[in-house]
Amino acid sequence: MRLYIYFISFFFSIMLSAQNSIPQVLKKLNKETVPYIKVNELKEKANLVFLDAREPKEYKVSHIQGAIPVGFDHFISNNVTAKVKDKNATIIVYCSIGVRSEQIGEKLQKLGYKNVYNLYGGIFEYKNNGGKVVNNQNKVTDSVHAYNKAWSVYLTKGIKVYED
């Protein structure tokens, strides 16, 4: 009987933890101060500037082609203003799922950028929806830095990489 109770408890704990989804995480952790743009909406916009708000080791594994790495821990606003001079440019900031990118998006708004969007679900959702990513040699890859084991559950397509 004790084994049966243990099994049922284990099963329900897995069920409850599995209900965490990208929408639930974003709702819990973000303030929605930067408007979201969903992966399927990207094709409706032209002349997009992608900014990657992940760390260099994550960017090196893979990134959206043409994305400018701006980092998170060592974000330097002067690096962005030197590369993106047009304050009216349509900027898409992304990270793994969209938490760090909201914070970088807020900084961009304070710098005067008018059309800043947070990619909903980040590079994970981009890859999950068939988006192509490239590595440091600009070659298409299936590898995506999964940030850590806990966050990796949200990446359902591609090869999960944990270190550089």
Side-chain angles (χ1 to χ4, degrees):
M1 182 70 175
R2 190 182 312 180
L3 184 61
Y4 178 73
I5 292 171
Y6 175 76
F7 176 76
I8 295 297
S9 297
F10 179 73
F11 177 76
F12 280 111
S13 68
I14 289 174
M15 290 284 293
L16 289 173
S17 67
Q19 289 183 8
N20 274 343
S21 63
I22 288 175
Q24 289 171 322
V25 172
L26 292 178
K27 188 82 169 156
K28 181 178 179 182
L29 297 178
N30 281 0
K31 300 175 282 182
E32 298 186 31
T33 53
V34 178
Y36 287 120
I37 186 166
K38 295 200 174 179
V39 172
N40 63 346
E41 297 172 322
L42 293 174
K43 59 184 169 253
E44 298 168 12
K45 304 248 182 212
N47 302 322
L48 302 177
V49 176
F50 286 94
L51 299 183
D52 191 314
R54 300 173 305 146
E55 294 307 307
K57 68 181 181 180
E58 296 171 89
Y59 180 87
K60 187 165 70 171
V61 171
S62 64
H63 52 273
I64 295 172
Q65 190 164 30
I68 300 167
V70 298
F72 180 77
D73 290 337
H74 303 289
F75 176 81
I76 300 170
S77 59
N78 288 344
N79 290 348
V80 175
T81 56
K83 292 177 182 172
V84 185
K85 299 192 183 306
D86 182 1
K87 300 283 181 155
N88 293 310
T90 302
I91 298 173
I92 312 298
V93 187
Y94 71 90
C95 61
S96 295
I97 69 166
V99 177
R100 292 177 285 175
S101 50
E102 179 179 72
Q103 294 175 45
I104 296 301
E106 290 171 346
K107 291 179 181 185
L108 294 170
Q109 290 171 333
K110 287 178 183 167
L111 290 171
Y113 291 96
K114 309 278 187 250
N115 299 304
V116 179
Y117 295 90
N118 185 4
L119 183 59
Y120 190 88
I123 196 168
F124 289 5
E125 196 66 10
Y126 185 81
K127 183 69 176 154
N128 292 344
N129 282 281
K132 295 199 182 324
V133 295
V134 297
N135 61 21
N136 220 26
Q137 288 78 40
N138 206 33
K139 293 188 177 168
V140 174
T141 182
D142 277 332
S143 297
V144 177
H145 196 288
Y147 187 66
N148 64 33
K149 299 257 184 196
W151 289 98
S152 73
V153 298
Y154 306 115
L155 179 64
T156 59
K157 300 219 173 126
I159 300 166
K160 297 173 185 180
V161 175
Y162 298 97
E163 293 302 318
D164 54 332

